[in-house]
Short mmCIF file of all heavy atoms in Angstrom, two decimals:
data_model
loop_
_atom_site.label_atom_id
_atom_site.label_comp_id
_atom_site.label_asym_id
_atom_site.label_seq_id
_atom_site.Cartn_x
_atom_site.Cartn_y
_atom_site.Cartn_z
N MET A 1069 5.08 -17.30 -35.01
CA MET A 1069 3.97 -16.53 -34.53
C MET A 1069 4.44 -15.53 -33.48
O MET A 1069 5.26 -15.84 -32.64
CB MET A 1069 2.93 -17.47 -33.88
CG MET A 1069 1.69 -17.65 -34.66
SD MET A 1069 0.48 -18.61 -33.71
CE MET A 1069 -0.53 -19.06 -35.06
N THR A 1070 3.84 -14.35 -33.51
CA THR A 1070 4.18 -13.34 -32.51
C THR A 1070 3.45 -13.65 -31.20
O THR A 1070 2.51 -14.45 -31.16
CB THR A 1070 3.76 -11.94 -32.99
OG1 THR A 1070 2.34 -11.88 -33.05
CG2 THR A 1070 4.37 -11.60 -34.33
N THR A 1071 3.88 -12.99 -30.17
CA THR A 1071 3.25 -13.17 -28.86
C THR A 1071 1.78 -12.77 -28.92
O THR A 1071 0.91 -13.45 -28.36
CB THR A 1071 3.99 -12.34 -27.80
OG1 THR A 1071 5.36 -12.72 -27.80
CG2 THR A 1071 3.41 -12.54 -26.42
N LYS A 1072 1.51 -11.67 -29.61
CA LYS A 1072 0.13 -11.20 -29.72
C LYS A 1072 -0.74 -12.24 -30.44
O LYS A 1072 -1.87 -12.52 -30.02
CB LYS A 1072 0.10 -9.87 -30.48
CG LYS A 1072 -1.24 -9.20 -30.49
CD LYS A 1072 -1.12 -7.82 -31.12
CE LYS A 1072 -2.42 -7.07 -31.01
NZ LYS A 1072 -2.31 -5.69 -31.52
N GLU A 1073 -0.23 -12.84 -31.49
CA GLU A 1073 -0.97 -13.87 -32.23
C GLU A 1073 -1.21 -15.10 -31.36
O GLU A 1073 -2.30 -15.69 -31.40
CB GLU A 1073 -0.23 -14.25 -33.51
CG GLU A 1073 -0.20 -13.15 -34.55
CD GLU A 1073 0.75 -13.45 -35.70
OE1 GLU A 1073 1.73 -14.20 -35.50
OE2 GLU A 1073 0.51 -12.92 -36.80
N LEU A 1074 -0.22 -15.47 -30.56
CA LEU A 1074 -0.38 -16.61 -29.66
C LEU A 1074 -1.44 -16.33 -28.60
O LEU A 1074 -2.24 -17.21 -28.27
CB LEU A 1074 0.96 -16.95 -28.99
CG LEU A 1074 2.02 -17.57 -29.91
CD1 LEU A 1074 3.37 -17.63 -29.21
CD2 LEU A 1074 1.59 -18.95 -30.34
N LEU A 1075 -1.45 -15.11 -28.08
CA LEU A 1075 -2.47 -14.74 -27.11
C LEU A 1075 -3.87 -14.80 -27.73
O LEU A 1075 -4.81 -15.33 -27.12
CB LEU A 1075 -2.21 -13.33 -26.57
CG LEU A 1075 -1.12 -13.21 -25.50
CD1 LEU A 1075 -0.76 -11.76 -25.25
CD2 LEU A 1075 -1.58 -13.87 -24.21
N ILE A 1076 -4.01 -14.28 -28.91
CA ILE A 1076 -5.31 -14.30 -29.59
C ILE A 1076 -5.76 -15.73 -29.84
O ILE A 1076 -6.94 -16.08 -29.65
CB ILE A 1076 -5.25 -13.49 -30.91
CG1 ILE A 1076 -5.08 -12.00 -30.57
CG2 ILE A 1076 -6.49 -13.71 -31.76
CD1 ILE A 1076 -4.75 -11.13 -31.76
N GLN A 1077 -4.83 -16.58 -30.21
CA GLN A 1077 -5.15 -17.99 -30.44
C GLN A 1077 -5.62 -18.65 -29.14
O GLN A 1077 -6.60 -19.40 -29.14
CB GLN A 1077 -3.91 -18.71 -30.98
CG GLN A 1077 -4.15 -20.18 -31.26
CD GLN A 1077 -2.88 -20.87 -31.77
OE1 GLN A 1077 -1.91 -20.22 -32.12
NE2 GLN A 1077 -2.91 -22.18 -31.79
N GLU A 1078 -4.96 -18.35 -28.05
CA GLU A 1078 -5.33 -18.95 -26.76
C GLU A 1078 -6.70 -18.46 -26.28
O GLU A 1078 -7.52 -19.25 -25.83
CB GLU A 1078 -4.27 -18.63 -25.70
CG GLU A 1078 -2.98 -19.40 -25.86
CD GLU A 1078 -3.15 -20.90 -25.68
OE1 GLU A 1078 -3.96 -21.32 -24.82
OE2 GLU A 1078 -2.47 -21.65 -26.39
N ILE A 1079 -6.95 -17.16 -26.39
CA ILE A 1079 -8.22 -16.64 -25.85
C ILE A 1079 -9.42 -17.01 -26.73
O ILE A 1079 -10.55 -16.97 -26.25
CB ILE A 1079 -8.18 -15.11 -25.64
CG1 ILE A 1079 -8.02 -14.36 -26.95
CG2 ILE A 1079 -7.10 -14.72 -24.66
CD1 ILE A 1079 -8.20 -12.86 -26.83
N SER A 1080 -9.18 -17.41 -27.95
CA SER A 1080 -10.30 -17.79 -28.82
C SER A 1080 -11.02 -19.04 -28.33
O SER A 1080 -12.18 -19.27 -28.67
CB SER A 1080 -9.83 -17.98 -30.26
OG SER A 1080 -8.94 -19.06 -30.35
N SER A 1081 -10.35 -19.85 -27.52
CA SER A 1081 -10.97 -21.08 -27.03
C SER A 1081 -11.33 -21.00 -25.54
O SER A 1081 -11.68 -22.02 -24.94
CB SER A 1081 -10.02 -22.26 -27.26
OG SER A 1081 -8.83 -22.09 -26.52
N MET A 1082 -11.28 -19.81 -24.95
CA MET A 1082 -11.55 -19.67 -23.52
C MET A 1082 -13.04 -19.41 -23.27
O MET A 1082 -13.73 -18.84 -24.11
CB MET A 1082 -10.73 -18.51 -22.94
CG MET A 1082 -9.23 -18.78 -22.95
SD MET A 1082 -8.26 -17.34 -22.45
CE MET A 1082 -8.46 -17.41 -20.70
N SER A 1083 -13.48 -19.81 -22.08
CA SER A 1083 -14.86 -19.54 -21.67
C SER A 1083 -14.99 -18.07 -21.28
O SER A 1083 -14.00 -17.36 -21.09
CB SER A 1083 -15.24 -20.43 -20.48
OG SER A 1083 -14.54 -20.01 -19.32
N GLU A 1084 -16.23 -17.63 -21.10
CA GLU A 1084 -16.47 -16.23 -20.72
C GLU A 1084 -15.85 -15.90 -19.36
O GLU A 1084 -15.27 -14.84 -19.18
CB GLU A 1084 -17.99 -15.95 -20.70
CG GLU A 1084 -18.34 -14.51 -20.44
CD GLU A 1084 -17.94 -13.58 -21.58
OE1 GLU A 1084 -17.78 -14.02 -22.72
OE2 GLU A 1084 -17.78 -12.37 -21.30
N ILE A 1085 -15.95 -16.82 -18.43
CA ILE A 1085 -15.36 -16.60 -17.10
C ILE A 1085 -13.85 -16.49 -17.19
O ILE A 1085 -13.24 -15.60 -16.56
CB ILE A 1085 -15.78 -17.74 -16.13
CG1 ILE A 1085 -17.28 -17.68 -15.87
CG2 ILE A 1085 -15.01 -17.66 -14.82
CD1 ILE A 1085 -17.83 -18.84 -15.07
N GLU A 1086 -13.23 -17.35 -17.98
CA GLU A 1086 -11.77 -17.28 -18.16
C GLU A 1086 -11.36 -15.98 -18.84
O GLU A 1086 -10.33 -15.39 -18.49
CB GLU A 1086 -11.28 -18.48 -18.98
CG GLU A 1086 -11.39 -19.80 -18.26
CD GLU A 1086 -11.11 -20.99 -19.17
OE1 GLU A 1086 -11.42 -20.94 -20.38
OE2 GLU A 1086 -10.54 -21.98 -18.65
N LEU A 1087 -12.17 -15.50 -19.77
CA LEU A 1087 -11.87 -14.24 -20.45
C LEU A 1087 -11.94 -13.07 -19.46
O LEU A 1087 -11.08 -12.17 -19.49
CB LEU A 1087 -12.85 -14.01 -21.60
CG LEU A 1087 -12.64 -14.88 -22.83
CD1 LEU A 1087 -13.78 -14.70 -23.82
CD2 LEU A 1087 -11.31 -14.58 -23.50
N ILE A 1088 -12.93 -13.08 -18.58
CA ILE A 1088 -13.06 -12.02 -17.58
C ILE A 1088 -11.86 -12.03 -16.64
O ILE A 1088 -11.29 -10.98 -16.32
CB ILE A 1088 -14.38 -12.17 -16.80
CG1 ILE A 1088 -15.57 -11.88 -17.72
CG2 ILE A 1088 -14.41 -11.26 -15.57
CD1 ILE A 1088 -16.92 -12.24 -17.13
N GLN A 1089 -11.46 -13.22 -16.20
CA GLN A 1089 -10.31 -13.33 -15.31
C GLN A 1089 -9.04 -12.84 -16.01
O GLN A 1089 -8.22 -12.13 -15.42
CB GLN A 1089 -10.13 -14.78 -14.85
CG GLN A 1089 -11.23 -15.25 -13.92
CD GLN A 1089 -11.15 -16.75 -13.64
OE1 GLN A 1089 -10.53 -17.51 -14.38
NE2 GLN A 1089 -11.81 -17.16 -12.56
N THR A 1090 -8.89 -13.21 -17.27
CA THR A 1090 -7.71 -12.79 -18.04
C THR A 1090 -7.70 -11.27 -18.21
O THR A 1090 -6.66 -10.63 -18.07
CB THR A 1090 -7.70 -13.48 -19.42
OG1 THR A 1090 -7.75 -14.89 -19.23
CG2 THR A 1090 -6.45 -13.12 -20.21
N LEU A 1091 -8.85 -10.71 -18.52
CA LEU A 1091 -8.96 -9.26 -18.66
C LEU A 1091 -8.58 -8.55 -17.37
O LEU A 1091 -7.86 -7.54 -17.38
CB LEU A 1091 -10.38 -8.88 -19.09
CG LEU A 1091 -10.66 -7.40 -19.27
CD1 LEU A 1091 -9.77 -6.80 -20.36
CD2 LEU A 1091 -12.13 -7.20 -19.61
N ASN A 1092 -9.04 -9.06 -16.24
CA ASN A 1092 -8.70 -8.47 -14.95
C ASN A 1092 -7.20 -8.52 -14.69
O ASN A 1092 -6.62 -7.57 -14.16
CB ASN A 1092 -9.46 -9.16 -13.82
CG ASN A 1092 -10.94 -8.84 -13.84
OD1 ASN A 1092 -11.35 -7.82 -14.39
ND2 ASN A 1092 -11.75 -9.71 -13.25
N ILE A 1093 -6.58 -9.62 -15.05
CA ILE A 1093 -5.12 -9.75 -14.87
C ILE A 1093 -4.39 -8.73 -15.74
O ILE A 1093 -3.46 -8.06 -15.29
CB ILE A 1093 -4.66 -11.19 -15.19
CG1 ILE A 1093 -5.18 -12.15 -14.13
CG2 ILE A 1093 -3.14 -11.26 -15.30
CD1 ILE A 1093 -5.00 -13.62 -14.47
N ILE A 1094 -4.82 -8.61 -16.99
CA ILE A 1094 -4.17 -7.66 -17.91
C ILE A 1094 -4.32 -6.24 -17.39
O ILE A 1094 -3.36 -5.46 -17.39
CB ILE A 1094 -4.75 -7.81 -19.33
CG1 ILE A 1094 -4.33 -9.15 -19.93
CG2 ILE A 1094 -4.30 -6.66 -20.23
CD1 ILE A 1094 -5.05 -9.52 -21.21
N ARG A 1095 -5.51 -5.89 -16.94
CA ARG A 1095 -5.72 -4.54 -16.41
C ARG A 1095 -4.88 -4.29 -15.17
O ARG A 1095 -4.37 -3.19 -14.96
CB ARG A 1095 -7.20 -4.33 -16.11
CG ARG A 1095 -8.02 -4.15 -17.36
CD ARG A 1095 -9.48 -3.94 -17.06
NE ARG A 1095 -10.23 -3.64 -18.27
CZ ARG A 1095 -11.54 -3.67 -18.35
NH1 ARG A 1095 -12.27 -3.99 -17.29
NH2 ARG A 1095 -12.15 -3.38 -19.48
N SER A 1096 -4.74 -5.30 -14.34
CA SER A 1096 -3.93 -5.17 -13.13
C SER A 1096 -2.47 -4.91 -13.49
O SER A 1096 -1.81 -4.06 -12.89
CB SER A 1096 -4.06 -6.44 -12.29
OG SER A 1096 -3.18 -6.42 -11.21
N ILE A 1097 -1.97 -5.64 -14.47
CA ILE A 1097 -0.58 -5.45 -14.91
C ILE A 1097 -0.39 -4.05 -15.46
O ILE A 1097 0.59 -3.36 -15.13
CB ILE A 1097 -0.21 -6.52 -15.97
CG1 ILE A 1097 -0.14 -7.90 -15.33
CG2 ILE A 1097 1.12 -6.16 -16.65
CD1 ILE A 1097 -0.04 -9.05 -16.32
N LYS A 1098 -1.31 -3.58 -16.28
CA LYS A 1098 -1.20 -2.25 -16.86
C LYS A 1098 -1.29 -1.16 -15.80
O LYS A 1098 -0.61 -0.15 -15.88
CB LYS A 1098 -2.28 -2.05 -17.93
CG LYS A 1098 -2.02 -2.87 -19.18
CD LYS A 1098 -3.14 -2.75 -20.17
CE LYS A 1098 -3.13 -1.39 -20.82
NZ LYS A 1098 -4.13 -1.24 -21.88
N GLN A 1099 -2.12 -1.37 -14.81
CA GLN A 1099 -2.29 -0.38 -13.75
C GLN A 1099 -1.01 -0.27 -12.92
O GLN A 1099 -0.61 0.82 -12.54
CB GLN A 1099 -3.46 -0.76 -12.86
CG GLN A 1099 -3.82 0.30 -11.84
CD GLN A 1099 -5.03 -0.09 -11.02
OE1 GLN A 1099 -5.34 -1.27 -10.88
NE2 GLN A 1099 -5.72 0.88 -10.47
N LYS A 1100 -0.36 -1.39 -12.65
CA LYS A 1100 0.88 -1.37 -11.88
C LYS A 1100 1.97 -0.59 -12.61
O LYS A 1100 2.76 0.10 -12.01
CB LYS A 1100 1.36 -2.79 -11.59
CG LYS A 1100 0.56 -3.51 -10.54
CD LYS A 1100 1.07 -4.92 -10.32
CE LYS A 1100 0.18 -5.67 -9.38
NZ LYS A 1100 0.58 -7.06 -9.22
N GLU A 1101 1.99 -0.71 -13.92
CA GLU A 1101 3.00 -0.01 -14.72
C GLU A 1101 2.79 1.49 -14.69
O GLU A 1101 3.75 2.25 -14.74
CB GLU A 1101 2.96 -0.51 -16.17
CG GLU A 1101 3.44 -1.93 -16.35
CD GLU A 1101 3.26 -2.44 -17.78
OE1 GLU A 1101 2.67 -1.72 -18.61
OE2 GLU A 1101 3.71 -3.56 -18.04
N SER A 1102 1.54 1.93 -14.59
CA SER A 1102 1.26 3.36 -14.65
C SER A 1102 1.42 4.07 -13.31
O SER A 1102 1.48 5.28 -13.26
CB SER A 1102 -0.16 3.59 -15.18
OG SER A 1102 -1.12 3.11 -14.27
N LYS A 1103 1.48 3.32 -12.21
CA LYS A 1103 1.61 3.93 -10.89
C LYS A 1103 3.04 4.35 -10.63
O LYS A 1103 3.99 3.69 -11.07
CB LYS A 1103 1.16 2.96 -9.80
CG LYS A 1103 -0.32 2.78 -9.71
CD LYS A 1103 -0.68 1.93 -8.52
CE LYS A 1103 -2.16 1.77 -8.40
NZ LYS A 1103 -2.53 0.94 -7.26
N LEU A 1104 3.19 5.44 -9.89
CA LEU A 1104 4.52 5.85 -9.46
C LEU A 1104 4.99 4.93 -8.35
O LEU A 1104 4.18 4.42 -7.58
CB LEU A 1104 4.47 7.29 -8.95
CG LEU A 1104 4.10 8.36 -9.99
CD1 LEU A 1104 3.96 9.71 -9.30
CD2 LEU A 1104 5.14 8.43 -11.07
N PRO A 1105 6.29 4.73 -8.23
CA PRO A 1105 6.78 3.87 -7.15
C PRO A 1105 6.46 4.47 -5.79
O PRO A 1105 6.49 5.68 -5.60
CB PRO A 1105 8.29 3.83 -7.39
CG PRO A 1105 8.60 4.93 -8.33
CD PRO A 1105 7.34 5.27 -9.06
N HIS A 1106 6.13 3.59 -4.84
CA HIS A 1106 5.77 4.02 -3.49
C HIS A 1106 7.03 4.42 -2.73
O HIS A 1106 8.02 3.70 -2.72
CB HIS A 1106 5.06 2.90 -2.75
CG HIS A 1106 4.79 3.22 -1.32
ND1 HIS A 1106 3.88 4.18 -0.94
CD2 HIS A 1106 5.32 2.75 -0.18
CE1 HIS A 1106 3.87 4.27 0.37
NE2 HIS A 1106 4.73 3.41 0.86
N ARG A 1107 6.97 5.60 -2.12
CA ARG A 1107 8.09 6.06 -1.32
C ARG A 1107 7.59 6.31 0.09
O ARG A 1107 6.74 7.18 0.29
CB ARG A 1107 8.65 7.35 -1.92
CG ARG A 1107 10.04 7.68 -1.43
CD ARG A 1107 10.53 8.96 -2.04
NE ARG A 1107 10.04 10.04 -1.18
CZ ARG A 1107 9.90 11.29 -1.57
NH1 ARG A 1107 10.18 11.66 -2.77
NH2 ARG A 1107 9.45 12.20 -0.72
N PRO A 1108 8.05 5.54 1.06
CA PRO A 1108 7.55 5.72 2.43
C PRO A 1108 7.92 7.10 2.96
O PRO A 1108 8.95 7.67 2.61
CB PRO A 1108 8.25 4.62 3.22
CG PRO A 1108 9.37 4.16 2.38
CD PRO A 1108 9.06 4.51 0.96
N GLY A 1109 7.05 7.64 3.80
CA GLY A 1109 7.27 8.96 4.38
C GLY A 1109 8.45 8.96 5.34
O GLY A 1109 8.76 7.97 5.98
N SER A 1110 9.09 10.11 5.43
CA SER A 1110 10.25 10.23 6.30
C SER A 1110 9.88 10.78 7.67
O SER A 1110 10.65 10.68 8.61
CB SER A 1110 11.29 11.16 5.66
OG SER A 1110 10.77 12.47 5.58
N GLY A 1111 8.71 11.40 7.77
CA GLY A 1111 8.30 12.02 9.03
C GLY A 1111 8.80 13.44 9.17
O GLY A 1111 8.46 14.14 10.12
N LYS A 1112 9.60 13.91 8.22
CA LYS A 1112 10.15 15.27 8.31
C LYS A 1112 9.07 16.33 8.22
O LYS A 1112 9.16 17.36 8.86
CB LYS A 1112 11.19 15.48 7.21
CG LYS A 1112 12.46 14.70 7.41
CD LYS A 1112 13.45 14.96 6.30
CE LYS A 1112 14.70 14.13 6.50
NZ LYS A 1112 15.66 14.32 5.43
N SER A 1113 8.03 16.08 7.43
CA SER A 1113 7.01 17.11 7.24
C SER A 1113 6.29 17.43 8.55
O SER A 1113 5.99 18.59 8.82
CB SER A 1113 6.00 16.67 6.19
OG SER A 1113 5.36 15.48 6.59
N ILE A 1114 6.02 16.44 9.37
CA ILE A 1114 5.34 16.70 10.64
C ILE A 1114 6.30 17.29 11.67
O ILE A 1114 5.91 18.09 12.51
CB ILE A 1114 4.65 15.43 11.18
CG1 ILE A 1114 3.64 15.81 12.25
CG2 ILE A 1114 5.64 14.42 11.69
CD1 ILE A 1114 2.69 14.72 12.61
N LEU A 1115 7.56 16.92 11.58
CA LEU A 1115 8.54 17.43 12.55
C LEU A 1115 8.75 18.93 12.41
O LEU A 1115 9.13 19.60 13.37
CB LEU A 1115 9.87 16.69 12.41
CG LEU A 1115 9.86 15.23 12.84
CD1 LEU A 1115 11.20 14.58 12.57
CD2 LEU A 1115 9.50 15.11 14.31
N ARG A 1116 8.47 19.49 11.23
CA ARG A 1116 8.61 20.94 11.04
C ARG A 1116 7.64 21.70 11.93
O ARG A 1116 7.91 22.83 12.32
CB ARG A 1116 8.32 21.31 9.58
CG ARG A 1116 9.44 20.99 8.64
CD ARG A 1116 9.11 21.60 7.30
NE ARG A 1116 7.89 20.98 6.78
CZ ARG A 1116 7.77 20.45 5.59
NH1 ARG A 1116 8.78 20.49 4.76
NH2 ARG A 1116 6.65 19.91 5.20
N HIS A 1117 6.52 21.10 12.26
CA HIS A 1117 5.48 21.78 13.02
C HIS A 1117 5.52 21.47 14.51
O HIS A 1117 4.85 22.12 15.29
CB HIS A 1117 4.10 21.39 12.46
CG HIS A 1117 3.97 21.63 11.00
ND1 HIS A 1117 3.84 22.89 10.47
CD2 HIS A 1117 3.99 20.78 9.95
CE1 HIS A 1117 3.75 22.80 9.16
NE2 HIS A 1117 3.85 21.54 8.82
N VAL A 1118 6.28 20.48 14.90
CA VAL A 1118 6.28 20.04 16.30
C VAL A 1118 7.10 20.94 17.19
O VAL A 1118 6.67 21.33 18.26
CB VAL A 1118 6.79 18.58 16.39
CG1 VAL A 1118 6.95 18.18 17.83
CG2 VAL A 1118 5.85 17.66 15.67
N GLY A 1119 8.27 21.28 16.78
CA GLY A 1119 9.14 22.09 17.61
C GLY A 1119 9.84 21.25 18.66
O GLY A 1119 9.86 20.03 18.61
N LYS A 1120 10.40 21.91 19.65
CA LYS A 1120 11.14 21.22 20.71
C LYS A 1120 10.27 21.11 21.95
O LYS A 1120 9.34 21.87 22.16
CB LYS A 1120 12.42 21.98 21.03
CG LYS A 1120 13.40 21.99 19.88
CD LYS A 1120 14.68 22.66 20.29
CE LYS A 1120 15.66 22.61 19.12
NZ LYS A 1120 16.94 23.20 19.45
N TRP A 1121 10.62 20.12 22.80
CA TRP A 1121 9.90 19.93 24.05
C TRP A 1121 10.19 21.11 24.96
O TRP A 1121 11.32 21.52 25.16
CB TRP A 1121 10.34 18.63 24.72
CG TRP A 1121 9.63 18.39 26.02
CD1 TRP A 1121 10.06 18.73 27.26
CD2 TRP A 1121 8.35 17.80 26.18
NE1 TRP A 1121 9.13 18.38 28.20
CE2 TRP A 1121 8.06 17.80 27.56
CE3 TRP A 1121 7.42 17.27 25.31
CZ2 TRP A 1121 6.89 17.29 28.07
CZ3 TRP A 1121 6.25 16.76 25.82
CH2 TRP A 1121 5.99 16.77 27.18
N VAL A 1122 9.12 21.68 25.52
CA VAL A 1122 9.27 22.80 26.43
C VAL A 1122 8.60 22.40 27.74
O VAL A 1122 7.44 22.00 27.75
CB VAL A 1122 8.60 24.08 25.86
CG1 VAL A 1122 8.73 25.23 26.85
CG2 VAL A 1122 9.21 24.46 24.53
N GLY A 1123 9.32 22.48 28.81
CA GLY A 1123 8.75 22.16 30.11
C GLY A 1123 9.61 21.15 30.84
O GLY A 1123 10.57 20.59 30.30
N ASP A 1124 9.26 20.92 32.09
CA ASP A 1124 10.02 19.99 32.92
C ASP A 1124 9.17 18.81 33.37
O ASP A 1124 9.50 18.14 34.33
CB ASP A 1124 10.60 20.72 34.14
CG ASP A 1124 9.51 21.36 34.99
OD1 ASP A 1124 8.33 21.37 34.57
OD2 ASP A 1124 9.84 21.86 36.08
N ASP A 1125 8.07 18.55 32.66
CA ASP A 1125 7.16 17.48 33.07
C ASP A 1125 7.23 16.24 32.19
O ASP A 1125 6.32 15.43 32.18
CB ASP A 1125 5.73 18.01 33.12
CG ASP A 1125 5.25 18.51 31.77
OD1 ASP A 1125 6.10 18.79 30.91
OD2 ASP A 1125 4.02 18.62 31.59
N LEU A 1126 8.32 16.07 31.46
CA LEU A 1126 8.46 14.92 30.57
C LEU A 1126 8.37 13.61 31.35
O LEU A 1126 7.64 12.70 30.97
CB LEU A 1126 9.77 14.99 29.79
CG LEU A 1126 10.07 13.81 28.86
CD1 LEU A 1126 8.97 13.69 27.80
CD2 LEU A 1126 11.42 13.96 28.20
N LYS A 1127 9.10 13.53 32.46
CA LYS A 1127 9.09 12.30 33.26
C LYS A 1127 7.68 12.01 33.78
O LYS A 1127 7.21 10.88 33.75
CB LYS A 1127 10.08 12.41 34.42
CG LYS A 1127 10.25 11.13 35.18
CD LYS A 1127 11.35 11.25 36.21
CE LYS A 1127 11.51 9.94 36.95
NZ LYS A 1127 12.58 9.98 37.93
N GLU A 1128 6.97 13.03 34.23
CA GLU A 1128 5.61 12.87 34.74
C GLU A 1128 4.67 12.40 33.62
O GLU A 1128 3.84 11.51 33.83
CB GLU A 1128 5.10 14.20 35.30
CG GLU A 1128 3.71 14.14 35.87
CD GLU A 1128 3.25 15.51 36.35
OE1 GLU A 1128 4.10 16.35 36.72
OE2 GLU A 1128 2.02 15.73 36.35
N CYS A 1129 4.81 12.96 32.44
CA CYS A 1129 3.98 12.54 31.31
C CYS A 1129 4.22 11.07 30.95
O CYS A 1129 3.28 10.33 30.67
CB CYS A 1129 4.24 13.43 30.10
SG CYS A 1129 3.62 15.12 30.28
N LEU A 1130 5.48 10.67 30.95
CA LEU A 1130 5.81 9.27 30.65
C LEU A 1130 5.23 8.33 31.70
O LEU A 1130 4.73 7.26 31.36
CB LEU A 1130 7.33 9.08 30.56
CG LEU A 1130 7.99 9.67 29.32
CD1 LEU A 1130 9.50 9.56 29.42
CD2 LEU A 1130 7.49 8.99 28.06
N GLU A 1131 5.25 8.73 32.96
CA GLU A 1131 4.68 7.91 34.02
C GLU A 1131 3.17 7.76 33.85
O GLU A 1131 2.62 6.68 34.06
CB GLU A 1131 5.01 8.50 35.39
CG GLU A 1131 6.47 8.35 35.78
CD GLU A 1131 6.84 9.11 37.04
OE1 GLU A 1131 5.97 9.83 37.61
OE2 GLU A 1131 8.01 9.01 37.46
N ILE A 1132 2.50 8.84 33.43
CA ILE A 1132 1.05 8.78 33.20
C ILE A 1132 0.74 7.80 32.08
O ILE A 1132 -0.17 6.97 32.18
CB ILE A 1132 0.50 10.18 32.89
CG1 ILE A 1132 0.58 11.07 34.13
CG2 ILE A 1132 -0.94 10.10 32.38
CD1 ILE A 1132 0.27 12.54 33.85
N VAL A 1133 1.51 7.89 31.02
CA VAL A 1133 1.30 6.99 29.88
C VAL A 1133 1.51 5.54 30.31
O VAL A 1133 0.71 4.66 30.00
CB VAL A 1133 2.23 7.36 28.70
CG1 VAL A 1133 2.22 6.29 27.63
CG2 VAL A 1133 1.84 8.70 28.11
N GLN A 1134 2.60 5.28 31.02
CA GLN A 1134 2.91 3.91 31.42
C GLN A 1134 1.88 3.36 32.41
O GLN A 1134 1.52 2.18 32.35
CB GLN A 1134 4.33 3.85 32.02
CG GLN A 1134 5.39 4.06 30.97
CD GLN A 1134 6.79 4.20 31.56
OE1 GLN A 1134 6.94 4.41 32.76
NE2 GLN A 1134 7.80 4.10 30.71
N SER A 1135 1.36 4.20 33.28
CA SER A 1135 0.39 3.72 34.26
C SER A 1135 -1.00 3.50 33.64
O SER A 1135 -1.80 2.77 34.21
CB SER A 1135 0.29 4.70 35.44
OG SER A 1135 -0.27 5.91 35.01
N SER A 1136 -1.26 4.13 32.54
CA SER A 1136 -2.60 4.00 31.93
C SER A 1136 -2.65 2.93 30.84
O SER A 1136 -3.68 2.75 30.20
CB SER A 1136 -3.05 5.34 31.35
OG SER A 1136 -2.19 5.74 30.30
N ARG A 1137 -1.56 2.23 30.64
CA ARG A 1137 -1.55 1.16 29.63
C ARG A 1137 -2.45 0.01 30.07
O ARG A 1137 -2.58 -0.28 31.25
CB ARG A 1137 -0.14 0.60 29.44
CG ARG A 1137 0.78 1.52 28.71
CD ARG A 1137 2.09 0.83 28.52
NE ARG A 1137 3.05 1.73 27.86
CZ ARG A 1137 4.32 1.46 27.72
NH1 ARG A 1137 4.82 0.34 28.19
NH2 ARG A 1137 5.10 2.30 27.10
N GLY A 1138 -3.07 -0.61 29.09
CA GLY A 1138 -3.90 -1.77 29.38
C GLY A 1138 -3.57 -2.91 28.42
O GLY A 1138 -2.76 -2.76 27.51
N ILE A 1139 -4.20 -4.02 28.64
CA ILE A 1139 -3.99 -5.17 27.76
C ILE A 1139 -4.84 -4.95 26.50
O ILE A 1139 -6.03 -4.65 26.58
CB ILE A 1139 -4.40 -6.47 28.46
CG1 ILE A 1139 -3.50 -6.69 29.70
CG2 ILE A 1139 -4.29 -7.65 27.51
CD1 ILE A 1139 -3.91 -7.88 30.53
N ALA A 1140 -4.20 -5.10 25.36
CA ALA A 1140 -4.90 -4.90 24.09
C ALA A 1140 -5.81 -6.10 23.81
O ALA A 1140 -5.45 -7.23 24.04
CB ALA A 1140 -3.90 -4.74 22.95
N GLU A 1141 -7.00 -5.80 23.36
CA GLU A 1141 -7.96 -6.83 22.99
C GLU A 1141 -8.27 -6.69 21.50
O GLU A 1141 -8.64 -5.62 21.05
CB GLU A 1141 -9.24 -6.70 23.80
CG GLU A 1141 -9.03 -6.97 25.28
CD GLU A 1141 -10.32 -6.85 26.07
OE1 GLU A 1141 -11.39 -6.99 25.47
OE2 GLU A 1141 -10.24 -6.59 27.27
N PHE A 1142 -8.14 -7.77 20.77
CA PHE A 1142 -8.41 -7.74 19.32
C PHE A 1142 -9.54 -8.68 18.98
O PHE A 1142 -9.77 -9.66 19.58
CB PHE A 1142 -7.16 -8.12 18.53
CG PHE A 1142 -6.02 -7.17 18.73
CD1 PHE A 1142 -5.01 -7.44 19.63
CD2 PHE A 1142 -5.98 -5.98 18.02
CE1 PHE A 1142 -3.95 -6.57 19.81
CE2 PHE A 1142 -4.93 -5.09 18.19
CZ PHE A 1142 -3.92 -5.39 19.09
#
């Protein structure tokens, strides 16, 4: 028997709920195959627009950030 015939034989005795679950699994598998692989961003696209730091207040800005930190609440 082929795989397809075995599948048909198995699903012929399944309940409606089992058939729905099986259909969802099959669709999920097919959807994964059709998607392009995920490629994480490099950050280069935003860096093109940022430019270089201009000014002499970097240390002051860092101090402001550090002094304004608080305890995170979740």
Side-chain angles (χ1 to χ4, degrees):
M1069 252 186 198
T1070 67
T1071 303
K1072 188 173 186 176
E1073 291 170 334
L1074 289 169
L1075 282 168
I1076 292 169
Q1077 181 182 347
E1078 287 295 323
I1079 64 171
S1080 64
S1081 64
M1082 294 173 78
S1083 70
E1084 185 68 23
I1085 293 173
E1086 291 171 327
L1087 287 172
I1088 291 170
Q1089 291 171 341
T1090 304
L1091 179 61
N1092 290 337
I1093 291 169
I1094 291 169
R1095 286 180 174 166
S1096 173
I1097 291 169
K1098 289 176 72 175
Q1099 187 178 24
K1100 286 179 186 176
E1101 290 174 355
S1102 67
K1103 286 186 178 180
L1104 295 174
H1106 174 68
R1107 197 180 86 202
S1110 65
K1112 290 181 182 178
S1113 61
I1114 196 166
L1115 291 176
R1116 283 189 297 232
H1117 306 286
V1118 173
K1120 294 184 178 182
W1121 179 266
V1122 178
D1124 59 352
D1125 61 341
L1126 178 60
K1127 187 174 181 178
E1128 181 183 333
C1129 290
L1130 288 173
E1131 288 172 356
I1132 292 170
V1133 169
Q1134 290 172 345
S1135 67
S1136 64
R1137 288 183 182 171
I1139 297 174
E1141 294 180 23
F1142 298 98

